[in-house]
Amino acid sequence: MASRLGDLSDCWLPLMAAFWSRDQDLGWPPQLRRLDALWVLSYLLRRENQRAAEAALRSIGLLYQHPMAHYRLAVALHRMDRILPAVEALQVAISLNPNFPEAHQRLVALYRNRLGDPDKAAEHRKLAAEMRLARRRAVAASPRYQSSRVGGQL
């Protein structure tokens, strides 16, 4: 699927960029603007990190308040060994969505392995673990989850 998305993005992304690079608002709904984030994902899946970073920056320009765009920019930057900009992108993603355990977990890796700051790594590891636990509890308490259980077992 990533290959097909990538092939499609080679022709569609320049057209989208031509329209969206204008300073004017074309009146396109946010759902359509979020499609740009799919191109970022397709580049990341193909390990085309430079293209992923460029597409992520375009996506951020279109929809700054979308934390996943910042996260995917950080992934591309991390892979390109641009550690400090990756940390900044993750911090923006977390500021936009404080309940983002994946961003905290990537910060754990960056602080522990690349920046040599075990205290910050431990802080983000704790936050990520708390968020994942809260997410599991919320899912377990949801009526939809409860109704899917058969005989008390999943």
Side-chain angles (χ1 to χ4, degrees):
M1 181 71 177
S3 169
R4 291 191 65 186
L5 275 177
D7 296 340
L8 186 62
S9 72
D10 291 338
C11 62
W12 178 242
L13 189 58
L15 179 63
M16 289 178 9
F19 280 113
W20 291 347
S21 64
R22 299 178 185 170
D23 291 333
Q24 61 186 349
D25 179 15
L26 297 175
W28 292 0
Q31 295 84 356
L32 185 58
R33 291 180 182 185
R34 286 191 180 140
L35 284 176
D36 201 42
L38 292 177
W39 306 131
V40 178
L41 181 59
S42 77
Y43 292 137
L44 287 174
L45 291 172
R46 292 186 300 170
R47 296 251 180 224
E48 294 182 24
N49 299 314
Q50 183 63 41
R51 290 178 85 180
E54 292 167 0
L57 287 170
R58 279 194 303 272
S59 184
I60 289 167
L62 295 171
L63 206 59
Y64 183 84
Q65 67 274 16
H66 191 52
M68 187 57 77
H70 295 275
Y71 176 78
R72 289 181 177 153
L73 173 62
V75 171
L77 292 171
H78 182 189
R79 290 178 180 174
M80 294 187 310
D81 206 31
R82 296 182 56 201
I83 303 306
L84 293 179
V87 168
E88 290 175 15
L90 289 167
Q91 289 170 340
V92 171
I94 290 169
S95 73
L96 293 170
N97 178 9
N99 189 22
F100 199 163
E102 297 82 5
H104 285 285
Q105 195 60 46
R106 188 161 287 268
L107 279 173
V108 169
L110 290 171
Y111 281 126
R112 183 184 60 217
N113 302 331
R114 302 306 303 271
L115 297 174
D117 191 339
D119 294 334
K120 282 194 177 185
E123 173 188 336
H124 286 284
R125 183 180 307 110
K126 180 181 176 190
L127 289 169
E130 289 171 356
M131 289 174 198
R132 287 195 171 112
L133 179 60
R135 186 182 288 172
R136 282 193 297 271
R137 287 180 178 161
V139 168
S142 73
R144 185 174 183 181
Y145 176 82
Q146 295 296 330
S147 68
S148 69
R149 298 179 73 183
V150 178
Q153 299 289 326
L154 236 181

